[in-house]
Amino acid sequence: MPNIKNGVILDNIEQLVGAIQQDPNVAKVQFKAQSEWNGGTQAKVTISEMFSNGQNMFGPERNFSLIVDEPAVLGGKDEYPNPVEYLASAFVAV
């Protein structure tokens, strides 16, 4: 049975810590995102890769997309959050 506390799978974190202790380079990660312009101030951003030790740690099934826009006062349609709002949400998440 997995070791879970407050919904966090602690076994996975312990495995990661062990891997980093064996090879500190495992802690050097690089996330990659791609952007596709949708016209105006909108873009579709796709996040599907995280590299550690030169290999992509995510499989092809892990593929997230989000749409960014700007508020009308900045020339957008205000249909989606803008990049600053996504960044602010990252600071307060979890």
Side-chain angles (χ1 to χ4, degrees), residues 2-4 9 13 19 25 35 41 54 67 69 74 80 84-85 91:
N3 183 10
I4 299 174
I9 304 170
I13 295 172
N25 286 321
S35 180
T41 61
I67 306 292
D69 195 3
L74 294 176
Y80 302 96
V84 174
E85 293 164 325
F91 286 126

Side-chain angles (χ1 to χ4, degrees), residues 7 9 13 15 19 21 23 25 41 44 52-53 57 65 80:
I9 304 170
I13 295 172
Q15 288 176 5
Q21 288 172 335
D23 182 1
N25 286 321
T41 61
K44 177 182 177 182
S52 174
N53 270 348
M57 303 304 294
S65 295
Y80 302 96

Side-chain angles (χ1 to χ4, degrees), residues 3-92:
N3 183 10
I4 299 174
K5 185 171 184 176
N6 295 327
V8 176
I9 304 170
L10 297 177
D11 293 335
N12 292 355
I13 295 172
E14 289 172 7
Q15 288 176 5
L16 176 60
V17 170
I20 292 170
Q21 288 172 335
Q22 288 182 343
D23 182 1
N25 286 321
V26 171
K28 297 176 183 175
V29 298
Q30 179 184 32
F31 288 87
K32 291 195 175 184
Q34 294 181 328
S35 180
E36 179 183 326
W37 180 53
N38 286 354
T41 61
Q42 290 188 5
K44 177 182 177 182
V45 178
T46 303
I47 303 135
S48 61
E49 297 177 309
M50 181 190 81
F51 288 85
S52 174
N53 270 348
Q55 69 178 0
N56 185 4
M57 303 304 294
F58 299 148
E61 70 282 350
R62 189 176 193 280
N63 191 341
F64 298 109
S65 295
L66 51 100
I67 306 292
V68 297
D69 195 3
E70 291 291 349
V73 70
L74 294 176
K77 295 180 181 177
D78 203 17
E79 294 176 340
Y80 302 96
N82 73 8
V84 174
E85 293 164 325
Y86 277 112
L87 181 60
S89 71
F91 286 126
V92 300

